Amino acid sequence: MDFKLTEEHLMIRDAARDFAKTELLPGVIERDEKQEFPKELIKKMGDLGFLGMMASPEYGGGGMDTISYVLAMEELSKIDASASVMVSVNNSLVCWGLDTFGNEEQKKKYLSKLTTGEKLGAFCLSEPEAGSDATSQRTTAIDKGDHYILNGTKNWITNGSSGDYFLVIAQTDKEKKHKGINAFIVEKGWDGFEIGPKEQKLGIRGSDTHSLNFNDVKVPKENRIGEDGFGFKFAMKTLSGGRIGIAAQALGIAAGAYELAKDYSKQRKAFGTEICNHQAIAFKLADMHTQITAARHLVMKAAWDKDQGENYDLSGAMAKLHASKTAMDVTIEAVQVHGGNGYVKEYHVERLMRDAKITQIYEGTSEIQKIVISRSILKD
Ligand code: CAA
């Protein structure tokens, strides 16, 4: 057993920390208020390699391990969870999915642009009536020989308007249930592909979330990922890794709020002393630190499992379940430590508290993680 990070891991963590402080921190409050994220910042993240960290170098990726990726995710999320969800979706859902299951042509044509930030990706599984119940896909893709005709609606899609390439899951043969589902690469701008209005959200407001409509969109057959009927497995396998990314995001939100609360408690005075000298505050910090450390160990273990070629469905689900609860608990307490100031935007903790909630919902709710965990521990 070795809990020590390598020199390379530390360099990646420090580079992400530095980028978050110098490039993401200025303007994070305004982006949250205005619900926007400038294209130039996405480009900067691409230039620095944050958008294709784990992808193969031959397609422009960084060829890094999952540990490096979660370290970067934690640092970005401490400051701006809107930026980190874009990074997470592009890295662990879109790039990883294409790199692992796409064919040579698809990788050359699409992956090589997604790893560099030239193009941004989105992952489209959820529907108005298929969120947790992901096998109930209503979006259809009818086989017309050399192409499919795609019809339906997708909901709550991260990078909905900023994205260029969309991995869309659809039902090609209803009779076959989940074995009749396929995944397709769809390009923005194709006839019949409409982007709906931006969702007005509680948190991660800088990131753009939209519904998408597909009206008789013609998708070439070469844009199907994998064998016919592979789409549901594609989504599940991809989401298993995605959940490690969101767990790291939740960890970062918690750690960011904790660091702010600790610093504040050493400066703010009440009853004649810094508030960290009151046990009421010191014990809160002790609880936060303990929860965060446990979450970090779970996140690292899941990332390590993935890097070692072990199954990571269980460890990824446990990491997400615990880290997202930690993010909620810690951010609420961080606001409490800040008192009245915690309720004010310039102290950042109220935003982190709002951002934390989504980590218990997207890429599988906490209840879905418990399904995955309980099925796994009860199967033998
Ligand atoms: N890896 C490989 N295959 C898997 C798998 C995995 N992790 N999980 C399930 N499968 C396979 C099963 O083996 C089964 O295949 P076979 O019949 O060939 O054995 C098939 O998938 C169906 O599995 P289940 O019978 O277990 O299906 P289910 O209906 O009970 O659902 C579920 C399982 C885990 C609840 C699943 O529906 C699920 O994960 N739901 C949540 C969906 C989700 O996470 N949505 C997030 C949206 S994406 C997002 O949020 C992105 C964003 O923008 C931030």
Side-chain angles (χ1 to χ4, degrees):
M1 267 209 147
D2 187 358
F3 284 96
K4 256 186 128 188
L5 295 168
T6 64
E7 283 300 314
E8 199 187 336
H9 287 144
L10 292 172
M11 268 169 57
I12 292 160
R13 187 195 64 186
D14 292 348
R17 186 175 288 174
D18 189 49
F19 174 77
K21 285 198 174 139
T22 55
E23 300 285 350
L24 294 179
L25 186 57
V28 66
I29 294 171
E30 290 72 19
R31 294 195 295 276
D32 174 72
E33 264 169 22
K34 292 185 182 153
Q35 295 214 85
E36 64 184 26
F37 200 86
K39 269 200 165 1
E40 310 83 71
L41 259 185
I42 300 177
K43 190 171 177 312
K44 271 189 192 163
M45 293 197 290
D47 290 345
L48 288 170
F50 290 124
L51 292 175
M53 295 185 71
M54 295 175 290
S56 310
E58 57 187 304
Y59 305 108
M64 294 175 208
D65 60 10
T66 317
I67 299 273
S68 305
Y69 168 59
V70 297
L71 287 169
M73 276 297 296
E74 180 182 344
E75 294 305 323
L76 302 179
S77 307
K78 281 181 184 174
I79 305 282
D80 188 351
S82 295
S84 72
V85 70
M86 293 180 171
V87 168
S88 179
V89 166
N90 202 69
N91 269 284
S92 44
L93 298 182
V94 182
C95 287
W96 187 86
L98 280 174
D99 204 9
T100 311
F101 301 112
N103 61 33
E104 191 56 29
E105 287 71 39
Q106 291 167 346
K107 290 187 202 186
K108 273 193 192 136
K109 186 169 175 191
Y110 295 109
L111 180 60
S112 56
K113 292 188 177 132
L114 288 161
T115 51
T116 56
E118 188 183 338
K119 303 282 182 191
L120 195 65
F123 185 83
C124 315
L125 174 69
S126 304
E127 298 186 355
E129 286 169 84
S132 291
D133 185 7
T135 54
S136 297
Q137 294 287 304
R138 300 264 172 103
T139 298
T140 55
I142 305 301
D143 191 339
K144 296 284 182 186
D146 66 344
H147 66 273
Y148 288 88
I149 293 293
L150 189 64
N151 275 291
T153 301
K154 293 289 173 183
N155 261 26
W156 313 294
I157 304 302
T158 303
N159 301 341
S161 62
S162 55
D164 303 282
Y165 301 148
F166 296 75
L167 302 189
V168 181
I169 316 297
Q171 188 80 53
T172 46
D173 188 344
K174 208 165 185 270
E175 298 289 299
K176 293 188 187 161
K177 301 192 174 152
H178 69 267
K179 291 189 168 124
I181 290 176
N182 275 296
F184 303 95
I185 308 161
V186 176
E187 295 182 30
K188 179 147 99 184
W190 281 358
D191 278 353
F193 178 9
E194 287 167 10
I195 296 162
K198 191 187 269 190
E199 300 290 358
Q200 306 293 311
K201 303 194 303 267
L202 171 74
I204 56 160
R205 286 165 53 85
S207 79
D208 58 310
T209 309
H210 292 255
S211 58
L212 307 174
N213 297 312
F214 302 97
N215 304 306
D216 289 333
V217 178
K218 194 173 166 184
V219 183
K221 205 153 227 178
E222 62 261 27
N223 278 32
R224 189 186 73 209
I225 302 169
E227 293 296 308
D228 188 21
F230 180 62
F232 193 70
K233 291 232 162 150
F234 170 81
M236 289 297 109
K237 282 173 183 279
T238 306
L239 276 167
S240 275
R243 288 166 185 165
I244 302 175
I246 299 303
Q249 179 187 48
L251 169 64
I253 293 170
Y258 162 74
E259 286 169 16
L260 289 167
K262 192 170 79 171
D263 290 350
Y264 184 82
S265 75
K266 288 177 171 176
Q267 288 157 16
R268 172 79 180 178
K269 287 190 176 162
F271 304 103
T273 182
E274 288 78 14
I275 59 171
C276 63
N277 296 323
H278 297 297
Q279 212 172 54
I281 301 299
F283 277 17
K284 282 188 197 301
L285 295 170
D287 280 339
M288 288 176 180
H289 184 66
T290 305
Q291 261 187 294
I292 289 168
T293 303
R296 189 174 288 116
H297 287 165
L298 283 170
V299 171
M300 286 297 177
K301 174 62 169 57
W304 185 85
D305 281 346
K306 185 159 175 281
D307 289 337
Q308 299 302 310
E310 302 282 338
N311 186 296
Y312 49 91
D313 297 340
L314 173 63
S315 53
M318 290 195 300
K320 184 176 184 289
L321 178 67
H322 182 74
S324 60
K325 181 171 187 317
T326 298
M328 269 327 289
D329 292 351
V330 167
T331 54
I332 287 171
E333 286 297 66
V335 171
Q336 194 70 17
V337 169
H338 279 76
N341 283 331
Y343 215 61
V344 174
K345 284 184 190 291
E346 68 187 272
Y347 286 84
H348 297 286
V349 283
E350 64 82 32
R351 186 187 69 259
L352 290 166
M353 186 181 86
R354 289 185 284 106
D355 288 347
K357 185 61 202 168
I358 192 62
T359 65
Q360 294 185 305
I361 298 173
Y362 60 19
E363 298 203 22
T365 60
S366 294
E367 291 72 18
I368 289 293
Q369 306 314 320
K370 288 182 192 179
I371 291 178
V372 174
I373 295 164
S374 57
R375 282 183 183 175
S376 175
I377 59 178
L378 291 170
K379 77 173 176 245
D380 37 45

